[in-house]
Amino acid sequence: MEIKEILTLLENWDETHVLTKEEALAILELPEEAEETLIAAAGKLRTKYKGKKVSVQLLTNVRSGNCSQNCAYCAQSCESHAAIEKYRRVSDEKLYGDNDLVDDKHLARHCIGLSGIRFTDAEIEDLACRIRKMKKNGTQICCSIGFLTEKQALMLKEAGLNRINHNLNSSRSFYPNICTTHTYDQRIENIRMLRRVGFEMCCGGIIGMGESHGDVVDMLMDIREIRPESVPINFLLPIEGTRLADRDISGLTPQYCMKVLCLARLMVPQSDIRCAAGREVYFKGIEPTLFRVVDSIFASGYLTAGGQGIDDTMKMIADAGYCGEIESTDEEE
Ligand code: SF4
């Protein structure tokens, strides 16, 4: 496609327009001088749906390491030799302490992650008990967990869990390059079941694992069909001891990363677009530009990688001219 055509499309952006694969690819390949036009188009949608709010989430790793799956990027995978802390059940002190922090600091949401792909009903009931306790304050909770049975999903729903994170990670055709112990279609099936049960969905991916621009577009097209409430876009942080430790990440320039985030905003404009892992590395010092498009971030690190502290994060948001979202509790919903 001609650059001129894409620029005209962006300058006269019509939200009802469904981007084709060809158009989306052309956006990812726009030259640097077109960046402002792209950010302006995506930024209008950000302002329309999210105002000046930045939703800040805190992440607690409830179960760490010893996963049976071989996801190439993950420090917790069965192939990883990364030096991480491993445990089956985080202490109550840590979990409830983090939940209090979410409430005290008025963060948007408490995200809890569990390594592993299958869980027993007894394990899910144990998790449901802990969720019930945290829900007493009305905290918004999202859980990143493997594949649930419908019965287990209902147990968590009944406990008050609001949202589940289940990422697509990459495109269907690229997926076997990063994981062979489960399939992309199993992920899609799981997401469909969770939707049927009535969960809000958080569903995104990882950029920089060796995929093509076409893979990024294919993944975003599938995400567009799912219409998740939240779309976390992670930029690969190669971890020593994982299969992607030596992955060349020179293509992850701030300009390219911004293009991916803009494309996500154009394709799912009403969703929270979260710049997840990699924010502190790939966007350091350019947060005001980032927030023109993105309305959601993590504070205090990722599952096995550190991050920025909460107070520093809130200050950075204010300095950029935005406000940390004081999240709706259940009562305000
Ligand atoms: S991403 Fe999840 S399923 Fe894959 S190895 Fe890591 S913990 Fe296991």
Side-chain angles (χ1 to χ4, degrees), residues 67-71 73-74 76-78 114-117 182 187:
C67 185
S68 60
Q69 305 298 297
N70 69 353
C71 307
Y73 53 85
C74 180
Q76 310 190 73
S77 90
C78 59
L114 285 86
S115 64
I117 206 96
H182 63 265
R187 287 190 168 260

Side-chain angles (χ1 to χ4, degrees), residues 99 108-112 131 134-143 153 155-165 194-195 197-202 229 327-331 333:
N99 204 66
R109 194 174 301 274
H110 190 187
C111 302
I112 55 178
I131 288 171
M134 292 189 284
K135 287 300 299 182
K136 285 204 174 120
N137 295 337
T139 318
Q140 293 287 303
I141 301 178
C142 177
C143 184
M155 286 163 75
L156 295 178
K157 186 94 186 83
E158 181 276 328
L161 180 65
N162 304 91
R163 186 175 289 188
I164 292 193
N165 162 259
L194 294 169
R195 273 295 200 212
V197 166
F199 275 112
E200 293 179 5
M201 285 310 304
C202 170
E229 280 72 15
E327 172 68 348
S328 47
T329 59
D330 285 345
E331 295 83 57
E333 269 185 330

Side-chain angles (χ1 to χ4, degrees), residues 37 114 116 124 137 144 150 158 176 192 223 259 331-332:
T37 306
L114 285 86
I124 296 297
N137 295 337
S144 181
E150 192 154 338
E158 181 276 328
R192 286 200 184 124
I223 288 174
K259 283 194 266 190
E331 295 83 57
E332 293 167 56

